[in-house]
Amino acid sequence: MQETRLDTARIRAARRMIDPIFLDTPLYRCQALEPGLECTVSIKLETANPVRSFKGRGTELVASLLADEGSGAAVCASAGNLGQALAWSGHGRGLDVTVVASRFAPVAKLDRIRALGARLELVDGDFDMARERAAAIARHDGIRLVEDSLDIETCEGAATIGLELVDALADTAAPFDTVLIALGGGAMATGVGHVLKALAPGVEVICVQPLGAPAMTHSWHQRRVITTDSTDTIADGVAGRCPIPAVLDDLLLVADDAVLVREASIIAGMRMLLDHAGLVVEPSAALGVAAILEDRDRFAGRHVVTIVCGSNVDVDAYHRWIGVAPIHGV
């Protein structure tokens, strides 16, 4: 492979540093989804852990290294899931964690960050404004700024999902040929993509982002950083405006495609995951199903893995979305 920030040996070593509670998440074929999606579908379930998202894999690495260095505090910006994960990992290692988030983030995510013992500061803006404030706190207080996707630990922690997928390829009689990955800042996409391209290069890596938050997808297609002035999507976990150049460089090496999906498709995907898989998921976790719904012909006859990456959702909002979702997709 061309030069990248990620290292497969470090990713293998990460497995030994991450609390096993975040590892070896379920991967199973969900046949109930297949008639509506017209392809073979397997789910990689990254919600079955204490923070209900994949983010704990990366924060376990960050917190372990900080504890080893004797660092006592860290700050991060978060749309909700990273903050919960850093709070959980930091609490177990005696770290003082501050999380900066938008006051418009889902209340359930903000409440959970507080419950996990982190100090929470809210800003009157979006995630990128929270990122600026977190950087200012880090400079003022002289503490570690944890930047999702830029910090290589967050990418290589997420990359352990890829190792588990590769292990599954060797153990199944019906191997998958495509993996659909939610694309936000890029930690999961670059991490999982790196492992698959290094160890299972025949698997197609497709990143999925909402039409209302397209910055990283546009950047991937144009091979340069494209920023947007705003975002407009219910998938708050992937709603960034300003891609990180180094992360884009990594993504360009491993993604085979990056696609955008409509809000109606995201909601329909959430409804399908509830009706046919019994899963309550946040919008970002339904992006893979949304991509299949919008292009069934592309995936017909294939075996697709979709990574269900988070289930931290505001219950009232979820009921509103699901109540208007078409039962059989879009």
Side-chain angles (χ1 to χ4, degrees):
M1 296 178 67
Q2 301 176 44
E3 186 173 350
T4 176
R5 298 183 305 144
L6 289 94
D7 181 82
T8 304
R10 283 201 310 262
I11 295 166
R12 292 188 188 280
R15 274 178 157 172
R16 299 188 292 272
M17 299 176 66
I18 297 170
D19 189 321
I21 204 166
F22 294 104
L23 298 175
D24 299 311
T25 52
L27 173 66
Y28 59 94
R29 182 177 171 186
C30 187
Q31 292 173 295
L33 281 172
E34 294 174 0
L37 297 178
E38 301 175 15
C39 62
T40 302
V41 181
S42 289
I43 288 172
K44 179 64 169 166
L45 190 63
E46 286 298 304
T47 63
N49 61 58
V51 298
R52 296 186 291 191
S53 82
F54 76 97
K55 297 288 188 179
R57 294 178 185 252
T59 59
E60 282 292 281
L61 291 186
V62 171
S64 293
L65 293 172
L66 286 175
D68 289 345
E69 295 166 0
S71 300
V75 59
C76 74
S78 175
N81 286 347
L82 178 73
Q84 292 179 69
L86 186 61
W88 193 92
S89 297
H91 178 77
R93 294 168 177 82
L95 302 178
D96 181 14
V97 172
T98 298
V99 179
V100 185
S102 168
R103 69 176 64 255
F104 307 110
V107 174
K109 293 184 178 182
L110 300 180
D111 288 345
R112 185 63 177 156
I113 290 169
R114 294 187 185 98
L116 288 166
R119 173 178 172 266
L120 181 63
E121 180 173 324
L122 302 178
V123 298
D124 292 315
D126 61 9
F127 169 77
D128 289 293
M129 185 176 291
R131 192 162 68 179
E132 293 173 4
R133 174 58 183 156
I137 292 172
R139 289 192 299 270
H140 182 270
D141 295 350
I143 61 176
R144 166 70 182 270
L145 173 64
V146 179
E147 292 195 77
D148 197 16
S149 304
L150 179 60
D151 285 6
I152 198 64
E153 298 93 344
T154 63
C155 303
E156 293 185 340
T160 58
I161 298 170
L163 293 178
E164 293 167 17
L165 291 174
V166 170
D167 289 345
L169 273 174
D171 294 336
T172 179
F176 55 86
D177 52 61
T178 307
V179 176
L180 297 170
I181 308 174
L183 179 60
M188 182 166 59
T190 59
V192 175
H194 172 83
V195 171
L196 290 174
K197 290 306 170 189
L199 304 178
V203 174
E204 186 175 23
V205 175
I206 301 176
C207 303
V208 190
Q209 200 165 36
L211 189 62
M216 186 62 102
T217 295
H218 287 333
S219 299
W220 183 86
H221 282 283
Q222 298 193 34
R223 304 188 69 83
R224 62 186 179 88
V225 170
I226 303 294
T227 61
T228 59
D229 294 330
S230 62
T231 60
D232 183 16
T233 178
I234 63 171
D236 59 286
V238 294
R241 295 184 289 109
C242 305
I244 299 169
V247 181
L248 175 61
D249 289 343
D250 292 334
L251 188 67
L252 289 170
L253 296 175
V254 299
D256 294 299
D257 199 4
V259 301
L260 298 172
V261 294
R262 296 177 289 125
E263 297 296 289
S265 302
I266 298 171
I267 294 171
M270 294 169 68
R271 177 66 182 269
M272 290 189 75
L273 286 165
L274 175 64
D275 288 348
H276 302 301
L279 298 174
V280 175
V281 304
E282 60 188 83
S284 300
L287 288 170
V289 174
I292 302 172
L293 286 171
E294 291 204 0
D295 198 353
R296 287 181 176 87
D297 289 345
R298 175 176 187 173
F299 299 102
R302 302 176 74 172
H303 185 166
V304 180
V305 170
T306 182
I307 301 175
V308 174
C309 55
S311 62
N312 291 297
V313 65
D314 181 87
V315 174
D316 291 337
Y318 182 84
H319 286 159
R320 289 197 304 274
W321 297 328
I322 297 305
V324 301
I327 294 176
H328 299 295
V330 295

